[in-house]
Amino acid sequence: MPMINFSNPLTLLIATLIFVLVLILAKETKKSAITAIMLFVFVGLLVFHTFSFITMPNRTQDINSQLTFSVVFDLIFVLVSFIAYLWIDDIEAKEKKKKSIDNSLDWFWGKI
């Protein structure tokens, strides 16, 4: 059974609120390192849940469902964290007047 179980709605709500608060903090401080840490935390959770999914012997259908749900939401959080990292990194580059190699989010915002 995973320690952080995203199949529980309360845990998912708390994780989403923490994600939003960390994103607001990163935007206000204009530090992309904060979102990078958040991204690595979600990647770590993804690795942990996937490892638990693969190595756990004698899984019941309930535990199998919970692990699958947790892995799916880990992937969603990783994707959103990566986009948030690119966004905050762009804000930080403009603030510090650093030359950016490319505009990493133009491909994303151009399609919306």
Side-chain angles (χ1 to χ4, degrees), residues 74-85:
D74 287 338
L75 287 169
I76 291 170
F77 276 123
V78 166
L79 174 67
V80 174
S81 296
F82 181 68
I83 292 171
Y85 170 74

Side-chain angles (χ1 to χ4, degrees), residues 2-3 7 20 25-26 32 34 38 40 43 48-49 51-52 60 69 83-84 87 91-92 96 107 109-110 112:
M3 190 171 257
S7 65
V20 169
L25 175 68
S32 63
I34 296 171
M38 183 173 56
F40 285 123
V43 168
F48 173 73
H49 286 142
F51 184 74
S52 296
T60 63
F69 199 80
I83 292 171
W87 177 49
I91 291 172
E92 183 181 12
K96 293 182 178 180
W107 64 268
W109 298 121
I112 293 180

Side-chain angles (χ1 to χ4, degrees), residues 48-102:
F48 173 73
H49 286 142
T50 305
F51 184 74
S52 296
F53 187 78
I54 292 171
T55 61
M56 187 178 289
N58 302 327
R59 287 191 310 254
T60 63
Q61 185 65 25
D62 186 42
I63 291 175
N64 196 20
S65 172
Q66 289 176 359
L67 281 171
T68 304
F69 199 80
S70 293
V71 167
V72 167
F73 271 95
D74 287 338
L75 287 169
I76 291 170
F77 276 123
V78 166
L79 174 67
V80 174
S81 296
F82 181 68
I83 292 171
Y85 170 74
L86 292 176
W87 177 49
I88 299 299
D89 188 53
D90 188 47
I91 291 172
E92 183 181 12
K94 288 178 184 175
E95 177 73 21
K96 293 182 178 180
K97 295 180 178 41
K98 293 189 313 186
K99 184 178 179 188
S100 184
I101 294 173
D102 63 346

